[in-house]
Amino acid sequence: MKLGFIGLGRMGQEVARRLIEHELVVYNRTHGKTMELAKIGAHVASSIAEACEGREIVITLLSDDVALSDVVLSARGILDSLPKGAIHLAMGTHGVHAIRSIASAHGKAGQFLVAAPVLGRPDVAAAGQVGIIAAGPANAVDRCQALFQKIGRRVFSAGPVPEGAAVVKLANSFVLGCAIEAMGEAFSLVRKHEVATSVLYDVMTDGMFSSPAYKVYGRIIVDQDYDRIGFTTELGLKDINLALAAADTSRVPLPSANVVRDRLLGAIAHGDGERDWAIMAHEQARSTGLE
Amino acid sequence: MKLGFIGLGRMGQEVARRLIEHELVVYNRTHGKTMELAKIGAHVASSIAEACEGREIVITLLSDDVALSDVVLSARGILDSLPKGAIHLAMGTHGVHAIRSIASAHGKAGQFLVAAPVLGRPDVAAAGQVGIIAAGPANAVDRCQALFQKIGRRVFSAGPVPEGAAVVKLANSFVLGCAIEAMGEAFSLVRKHEVATSVLYDVMTDGMFSSPAYKVYGRIIVDQDYDRIGFTTELGLKDINLALAAADTSRVPLPSANVVRDRLLGAIAHGDGERDWAIMAHEQARSTGLE
Amino acid sequence: MKLGFIGLGRMGQEVARRLIEHELVVYNRTHGKTMELAKIGAHVASSIAEACEGREIVITLLSDDVALSDVVLSARGILDSLPKGAIHLAMGTHGVHAIRSIASAHGKAGQFLVAAPVLGRPDVAAAGQVGIIAAGPANAVDRCQALFQKIGRRVFSAGPVPEGAAVVKLANSFVLGCAIEAMGEAFSLVRKHEVATSVLYDVMTDGMFSSPAYKVYGRIIVDQDYDRIGFTTELGLKDINLALAAADTSRVPLPSANVVRDRLLGAIAHGDGERDWAIMAHEQARSTGLE
Amino acid sequence: MKLGFIGLGRMGQEVARRLIEHELVVYNRTHGKTMELAKIGAHVASSIAEACEGREIVITLLSDDVALSDVVLSARGILDSLPKGAIHLAMGTHGVHAIRSIASAHGKAGQFLVAAPVLGRPDVAAAGQVGIIAAGPANAVDRCQALFQKIGRRVFSAGPVPEGAAVVKLANSFVLGCAIEAMGEAFSLVRKHEVATSVLYDVMTDGMFSSPAYKVYGRIIVDQDYDRIGFTTELGLKDINLALAAADTSRVPLPSANVVRDRLLGAIAHGDGERDWAIMAHEQARSTGLE
């Protein structure tokens, strides 16, 4: 299969590497990041257009909606360069609005958009173990399955409309934000009663909450180890704002998302935007005079 | 060991049964519930006093703080009847205020209070697999360990102050309420975007949320099976209100608890107080015009 | 008319003084506060019973529900001492539960309860200009009208059930708390955008918000003059908690009350419990890194 | 003074009419709306450019940020057509982002932006009694003062940065949304206690809340007269979202704004988007089973 790949951040590097056996043409705005892939055989394109022309599928793994829109819609971007009938496989975490408008543009150009955001961090991607939430026209999604097998451990089908995958990804992140917030509140409550936070951590993770969300983030909070960064507070806010924007479009009150958003804003206001978003627990503690 | 046992609701029955080999004297306000235990050899007391006199430990497993206060403080109650140096082991889920005032009363009477609320449902109790959060004077807690071994799979030590166990139990329940609420919001968001709730369920429980809180309650929500009752909405509200009362005492804002409380109030206002508290998801759906 | 009067705090002093021409018997737990009234002709009772016996109406103006319950229900309290057919006129700000249970007790004793909380501060009371929210059996309320004329500028009839007056008073306080909170948030927003808070103050109070709630509390916030105390943060929390308790009983989600409650808890946690409750604005500013 | 005027909605018509004595050139996207002004002597431009060329000041009074950006930035828009040194006086309610980016563009083009959103409805504008919140370079604001005198009763100076006026306008609207929400909650609380809403209305508007926000909107709520439309729910949501966007930029948690936003979303989800935004009270009542 002839593949293009645009966006070689930490996740992009790992995903692209697993697809090297395809005739892979890679492009990144900053050239340096393409070198590792060139070494193992990828062809390095000097423009977006070159990464798209003649390709059956072009994958993007970009950090935000602005980057996605630029890459797709600007002159000699994906829309102008990808052949008719080819697929744009968007694997970044994007908002409903961005996916919707890009899907529409691709449709008018006779191309297909498959949204397939991934679940997992770079090390998980390196092992080919990410989860993939895929949505788009059934035929187009099918044509991506061989790639998905290389990249991830499981594909979750979110229906025929690309934005469906976006909203599921955002909903999952939002539920995670709520779990961290709830822990932050609960830990501050036990601290105020002179009980060690590790007691509650043990109770939670031994029982109803014996899963990574609580084990990983609970551990960071108990250890107050907010510089062991998995996901920054700024990125957390970005995702929560995308979830709230999706909720705004579809008229869904999300009171828990509001709580998470306010907590993240408070943390950033206090200078903690680049620390792990488990800092929410610290910000909650601050609000009750503990820090 | 000479044991008394007061409060033979569904949990009480199962816990008491596991302690039958001790010289067990049981008491329940309504006599009927004592029969099963009498059959297997428990002595049935006709008064609280009789269940306390000469006992080394009297266990209570009562449904709320009012019942606890009555049993302890009324004339010929536990306080009047338990020998000096004996232990009152309170295994119900109680509020910080109730535990604090009863601990103080026992202290003045030369008795000990150990608070040891349990985690798990009656079937888990029957199997001797509940979790136990224990707090109280170290010596008194030690004297209960043999009982804990019979009753549960693990003891979590929450320190020397009985109310510490209460606050950990309430915090755990509160985190659970937040998880259900977050799921309810997230499910309504994906529904509004025409994605099946089962997709989000699969993503969550396959990944960050592969634990009972999400599997059990998420399943109820996806199936809209709110009459499969594990824990009622009214009981959920009771626990959240106790958590908020503990937070009030210790000056801790708990914005997520507020969201849960309001959701539970809304569900009860709509007539769903006796359904499973996963009904929170249904109430959220109602708020956004889905039901 | 033969009047008893129990509770000579700052408000009580002023209200009692306006009723001096009636055959006034006054009682206060701490004796000192009765002296001013004795000087102008009141008879000082040495017990609650003495302030009730032979009286047609006994007024209480007490600071909280615990004080009210004690005064009414303890041995030789109002319930034991007031003649049948007489009225207990409760003018403090009380919770729905307290008023309901006391109304019931009076009813069984052949007495009447009229709840009539007042609106206004001591200086307003001194001028006979408070507002009075009155509820109770119509006949009993009528019998109090002559007193109301002496005490206040206007009577708001809240129906035949005493707790109706309590809930209206609490609702009014709650709306005030929300107004202060909203101002606090709005002021912090303009401050972060480098605009003087006085600009927003002028816009608000010149237009939609040209009323005391915004003029008085907005001024305190603009001047950051939180030690000019009209109503303390602790008292504000007490009222909001009573409003939330009323909402709990009647199954009413009050999301704005939750926001106010959390803000007050945060302020108290930071040591500001005895400052004016406009400190909510300061606490909001703190949450966004401004203080 | 040579004036251009773009945007002849209901407010625009009234404001333009008061400026007719200046050499007024008016433009509206839909031609029909210019006729009334043509009758009283305004010159009707056939393009944005024609409304700008040779003008000292061009006023816009547009309904949203998209319209503003289009009018300013599109080819032969204000930016291209207004003379150097001239002023764009933007009198609509706009977001901080839109004002900021347009101010920057005008600056680069040697033009000035003064943001001057107005307070009041069309009938108030017709009487020349609106409030005006003005911000921009001092010199440019001064040059607009003669116009402000014609249009409004009072000018509030919000400093030298145009977005300062935007944020004050949004903050004022947000405080209004909070007042309506608080009333809605309070009214549902008294209704659940069988007290007429008019009692609380009287208490509020006689005392702390004797101002239009409570009198106008409280009256609509008491009368359940949500089709007497002053400001629609959809417009309310637009303003609250702009306030939240301003808060996002400046890292300010606004918990009360979240409550208002969720309420508005719920109302719209239930089909009430085009009714008066006092419908928030109805939506609150619905949430507690009253409707």
Side-chain angles (χ1 to χ4, degrees):
Chain A
M1 194 160 6
K2 292 175 179 172
L3 284 190
F5 200 109
I6 297 171
L8 297 170
R10 287 171 63 211
M11 282 299 286
Q13 296 263 1
E14 301 301 344
V15 173
R17 190 183 299 269
R18 295 194 64 84
L19 300 172
I20 196 70
E21 70 191 52
H22 295 280
E23 300 170 35
L24 191 64
V25 180
V26 300
Y27 174 80
N28 197 68
R29 201 173 39 173
T30 51
H31 195 67
K33 294 192 174 175
T34 57
M35 287 193 295
E36 288 295 314
L37 283 153
K39 276 187 208 161
I40 59 168
H43 177 74
V44 177
S46 60
S47 69
I48 293 169
E50 190 186 342
C52 294
E53 286 156 4
R55 301 286 106 187
E56 297 167 62
I57 298 179
V58 64
I59 297 173
T60 53
L61 221 165
L62 299 161
S63 60
D64 61 36
D65 291 355
V66 172
L68 181 69
S69 292
D70 281 357
V71 160
V72 174
L73 302 175
S74 59
R76 291 184 43 75
I78 296 178
L79 204 66
D80 289 351
S81 315
L82 195 65
K84 277 200 188 213
I87 295 168
H88 171 195
L89 176 58
M91 303 196 81
T93 298
H94 296 294
V96 165
H97 287 99
I99 292 294
R100 187 180 296 175
S101 65
I102 283 174
S104 166
H106 280 304
K108 286 174 189 155
Q111 303 153 349
F112 299 99
L113 178 68
V114 173
V118 293
L119 300 155
R121 299 187 176 178
D123 57 329
V124 179
Q129 293 296 312
V130 293
I132 298 168
I133 306 167
N139 205 341
V141 173
D142 283 349
R143 285 162 59 196
C144 299
Q145 289 293 355
L147 302 183
F148 293 157
Q149 303 312 316
K150 293 268 168 51
I151 295 168
R153 74 173 191 289
R154 184 167 171 185
V155 180
F156 303 91
S157 295
V161 185
E163 69 194 65
V167 81
V168 171
K169 175 70 195 285
L170 295 172
N172 187 66
S173 297
F174 150 55
V175 172
L176 179 54
C178 294
I180 299 172
E181 170 65 20
M183 274 189 281
E185 296 183 24
F187 281 130
S188 73
L189 181 62
V190 301
R191 282 178 67 186
K192 278 271 189 141
H193 287 268
E194 313 288 344
V195 178
T197 50
S198 59
V199 180
L200 177 59
Y201 176 86
D202 288 345
V203 168
M204 290 194 305
T205 57
D206 179 72
M208 295 299 277
F209 307 101
S210 53
S211 66
Y214 296 84
K215 288 182 178 171
V216 171
Y217 288 101
R219 174 52 51 203
I220 295 175
I221 298 169
V222 169
D223 295 346
Q224 305 202 33
D225 189 15
Y226 304 113
D227 295 315
R228 189 198 329 164
I229 298 159
F231 195 65
T232 67
T233 303
E234 287 280 8
L235 288 173
L237 180 61
K238 185 184 80 111
D239 278 10
I240 291 294
N241 276 337
L242 289 176
L244 283 164
D248 194 70
T249 309
S250 50
R251 303 341 197 163
V252 183
L254 293 183
S256 297
N258 293 333
V259 172
V260 174
R261 178 181 182 269
D262 275 357
R263 190 70 71 199
L264 293 166
L265 283 174
I268 296 170
H270 283 107
D272 291 329
E274 293 306 326
R275 305 179 80 185
D276 189 85
W277 73 326
I279 197 80
M280 289 162 70
H282 183 77
E283 182 66 15
Q284 155 73 10
R286 184 185 279 129
S287 81
T288 185
L290 281 167
E291 310 286 346
Chain B
M1 194 162 4
K2 292 175 179 170
L3 284 189
F5 200 110
I6 297 170
L8 296 170
R10 287 171 63 212
M11 282 299 283
Q13 295 262 1
E14 301 300 345
V15 172
R17 191 181 299 270
R18 294 195 64 83
L19 300 171
I20 195 69
E21 69 190 53
H22 294 282
E23 300 169 35
L24 191 65
V25 179
V26 300
Y27 174 81
N28 198 67
R29 203 174 35 173
T30 52
H31 196 65
K33 295 192 174 174
T34 57
M35 286 193 296
E36 289 295 314
L37 284 152
K39 277 188 207 160
I40 58 169
H43 177 75
V44 178
S46 59
S47 69
I48 294 169
E50 190 185 342
C52 295
E53 284 156 4
R55 302 285 106 188
E56 298 165 64
I57 298 179
V58 64
I59 297 174
T60 53
L61 220 165
L62 299 162
S63 60
D64 61 36
D65 291 356
V66 172
L68 180 69
S69 292
D70 281 356
V71 160
V72 174
L73 302 174
S74 59
R76 292 185 44 75
I78 296 177
L79 203 66
D80 288 352
S81 315
L82 195 66
K84 277 203 187 207
I87 295 168
H88 171 196
L89 176 59
M91 303 196 80
T93 298
H94 295 294
V96 164
H97 287 98
I99 291 294
R100 186 180 296 174
S101 65
I102 283 174
S104 166
H106 280 304
K108 285 175 189 154
Q111 302 153 349
F112 300 99
L113 177 68
V114 173
V118 293
L119 300 156
R121 299 186 177 180
D123 58 328
V124 179
Q129 292 296 310
V130 294
I132 298 167
I133 307 167
N139 205 341
V141 173
D142 283 349
R143 285 163 58 195
C144 299
Q145 290 292 356
L147 301 184
F148 294 158
Q149 302 312 317
K150 292 267 168 48
I151 296 168
R153 73 172 193 288
R154 184 168 170 186
V155 180
F156 303 90
S157 295
V161 184
E163 68 193 67
V167 81
V168 171
K169 174 73 195 284
L170 295 171
N172 187 66
S173 297
F174 150 55
V175 172
L176 180 55
C178 294
I180 299 173
E181 170 65 20
M183 274 189 279
E185 296 183 24
F187 281 131
S188 72
L189 181 63
V190 302
R191 282 177 68 185
K192 278 271 189 141
H193 286 269
E194 313 288 343
V195 178
T197 50
S198 59
V199 180
L200 178 59
Y201 177 85
D202 289 344
V203 168
M204 288 194 305
T205 56
D206 180 73
M208 295 299 276
F209 306 101
S210 53
S211 65
Y214 295 85
K215 288 182 177 172
V216 171
Y217 287 102
R219 174 52 51 202
I220 295 174
I221 298 169
V222 169
D223 295 345
Q224 304 201 34
D225 188 16
Y226 303 113
D227 296 315
R228 189 196 331 162
I229 299 160
F231 194 64
T232 67
T233 304
E234 287 280 8
L235 288 173
L237 180 61
K238 184 185 81 110
D239 278 10
I240 291 294
N241 275 337
L242 289 176
L244 283 164
D248 194 70
T249 309
S250 51
R251 303 341 197 162
V252 182
L254 292 183
S256 297
N258 292 333
V259 172
V260 174
R261 178 181 182 270
D262 275 357
R263 189 71 70 201
L264 294 167
L265 283 174
I268 296 171
H270 283 106
D272 292 328
E274 293 307 324
R275 305 179 80 187
D276 189 86
W277 72 325
I279 198 79
M280 289 162 69
H282 182 77
E283 182 66 16
Q284 155 73 10
R286 184 184 279 130
S287 82
T288 185
L290 283 168
E291 309 286 347
Chain C
M1 194 159 7
K2 292 176 179 168
L3 284 189
F5 201 109
I6 297 170
L8 297 171
R10 289 169 64 211
M11 282 299 285
Q13 295 263 359
E14 301 300 346
V15 172
R17 190 182 300 268
R18 295 194 64 84
L19 300 171
I20 195 70
E21 69 191 52
H22 295 280
E23 299 170 34
L24 192 64
V25 180
V26 300
Y27 174 80
N28 198 68
R29 200 173 38 173
T30 52
H31 196 66
K33 294 191 174 176
T34 58
M35 287 193 295
E36 289 295 314
L37 284 152
K39 277 187 207 161
I40 58 171
H43 177 74
V44 177
S46 60
S47 69
I48 294 168
E50 190 185 342
C52 294
E53 285 156 3
R55 302 286 106 188
E56 299 167 61
I57 298 179
V58 64
I59 297 174
T60 54
L61 221 165
L62 298 162
S63 60
D64 61 36
D65 291 355
V66 172
L68 180 70
S69 292
D70 281 357
V71 160
V72 175
L73 302 175
S74 59
R76 291 184 44 74
I78 297 177
L79 203 67
D80 289 351
S81 314
L82 196 65
K84 279 204 185 207
I87 295 168
H88 170 196
L89 177 58
M91 303 196 80
T93 298
H94 296 295
V96 164
H97 288 98
I99 292 294
R100 186 180 296 174
S101 65
I102 283 174
S104 165
H106 280 305
K108 286 174 189 155
Q111 303 153 349
F112 300 99
L113 177 68
V114 173
V118 293
L119 301 155
R121 299 188 177 177
D123 57 328
V124 178
Q129 292 296 311
V130 293
I132 298 168
I133 306 167
N139 205 342
V141 174
D142 283 350
R143 286 162 59 196
C144 299
Q145 290 292 355
L147 301 184
F148 294 157
Q149 302 313 316
K150 293 267 169 50
I151 296 169
R153 73 172 194 290
R154 184 168 171 184
V155 180
F156 303 90
S157 294
V161 185
E163 68 193 66
V167 81
V168 171
K169 175 71 195 284
L170 295 172
N172 187 66
S173 297
F174 150 55
V175 172
L176 180 54
C178 295
I180 300 172
E181 169 65 20
M183 274 190 280
E185 296 183 24
F187 282 130
S188 72
L189 181 62
V190 302
R191 282 177 68 186
K192 278 271 189 141
H193 286 268
E194 313 287 343
V195 178
T197 50
S198 60
V199 180
L200 177 59
Y201 176 86
D202 288 345
V203 168
M204 289 194 304
T205 57
D206 180 72
M208 295 299 277
F209 307 101
S210 54
S211 65
Y214 295 85
K215 288 181 177 171
V216 172
Y217 287 101
R219 175 51 53 203
I220 295 175
I221 298 169
V222 169
D223 295 345
Q224 304 202 34
D225 188 16
Y226 304 113
D227 295 315
R228 188 195 333 160
I229 298 159
F231 195 63
T232 67
T233 303
E234 287 280 8
L235 288 172
L237 180 61
K238 183 183 81 108
D239 278 10
I240 291 294
N241 275 337
L242 289 176
L244 283 163
D248 194 69
T249 309
S250 51
R251 306 334 198 169
V252 183
L254 293 183
S256 297
N258 293 333
V259 172
V260 174
R261 178 180 182 270
D262 275 357
R263 189 70 72 201
L264 293 166
L265 282 174
I268 297 170
H270 283 107
D272 291 328
E274 293 307 325
R275 305 178 81 185
D276 189 85
W277 73 325
I279 197 81
M280 289 162 69
H282 182 78
E283 182 65 17
Q284 154 74 10
R286 184 185 280 130
S287 81
T288 185
L290 282 167
E291 310 287 347
Chain D
M1 192 162 4
K2 293 176 177 168
L3 283 190
F5 200 109
I6 297 171
L8 296 170
R10 288 171 64 211
M11 282 300 285
Q13 295 262 2
E14 301 301 345
V15 173
R17 191 182 299 269
R18 296 193 64 83
L19 301 171
I20 196 71
E21 71 190 53
H22 295 281
E23 301 170 35
L24 191 64
V25 179
V26 300
Y27 173 80
N28 198 68
R29 202 174 36 171
T30 52
H31 196 66
K33 296 193 173 174
T34 57
M35 288 193 296
E36 289 295 314
L37 284 153
K39 278 186 206 162
I40 58 169
H43 177 75
V44 177
S46 60
S47 69
I48 294 170
E50 190 185 342
C52 293
E53 286 156 5
R55 302 286 106 187
E56 298 166 62
I57 298 179
V58 63
I59 297 173
T60 54
L61 219 164
L62 298 161
S63 60
D64 60 34
D65 291 355
V66 172
L68 180 70
S69 291
D70 281 357
V71 160
V72 174
L73 302 175
S74 59
R76 290 183 46 74
I78 297 177
L79 203 66
D80 288 352
S81 314
L82 195 66
K84 276 202 186 212
I87 294 168
H88 171 196
L89 176 59
M91 303 195 80
T93 297
H94 295 294
V96 164
H97 288 99
I99 292 294
R100 187 181 295 174
S101 66
I102 283 174
S104 166
H106 281 304
K108 287 174 188 154
Q111 302 153 348
F112 300 99
L113 178 68
V114 173
V118 293
L119 300 155
R121 299 187 177 178
D123 57 328
V124 179
Q129 292 297 309
V130 293
I132 298 167
I133 307 167
N139 205 342
V141 173
D142 282 350
R143 287 162 59 196
C144 300
Q145 290 292 355
L147 302 183
F148 293 157
Q149 302 312 316
K150 293 268 169 48
I151 296 168
R153 72 172 194 287
R154 183 167 171 187
V155 180
F156 304 90
S157 295
V161 184
E163 68 193 65
V167 81
V168 171
K169 175 71 195 284
L170 294 172
N172 188 65
S173 297
F174 150 55
V175 172
L176 180 54
C178 294
I180 299 173
E181 169 65 19
M183 274 189 282
E185 296 182 25
F187 281 130
S188 72
L189 181 63
V190 301
R191 282 178 67 186
K192 279 270 189 142
H193 286 268
E194 313 289 342
V195 177
T197 51
S198 59
V199 180
L200 178 58
Y201 176 85
D202 289 345
V203 168
M204 289 194 304
T205 57
D206 180 73
M208 295 300 276
F209 307 101
S210 54
S211 65
Y214 296 85
K215 288 182 178 172
V216 171
Y217 287 101
R219 175 51 52 202
I220 295 175
I221 298 169
V222 169
D223 295 345
Q224 306 202 34
D225 189 16
Y226 303 113
D227 295 314
R228 190 198 329 163
I229 298 160
F231 195 63
T232 67
T233 304
E234 287 279 7
L235 289 173
L237 180 62
K238 183 183 82 105
D239 278 10
I240 291 295
N241 276 336
L242 289 176
L244 283 164
D248 194 70
T249 308
S250 50
R251 305 335 197 169
V252 183
L254 292 183
S256 297
N258 293 333
V259 171
V260 174
R261 178 180 183 270
D262 275 357
R263 189 70 71 199
L264 294 166
L265 283 174
I268 296 170
H270 283 107
D272 291 328
E274 293 306 325
R275 304 178 80 186
D276 190 85
W277 73 325
I279 198 78
M280 289 162 69
H282 182 76
E283 181 66 16
Q284 155 74 10
R286 184 184 280 130
S287 81
T288 185
L290 282 167
E291 310 285 348

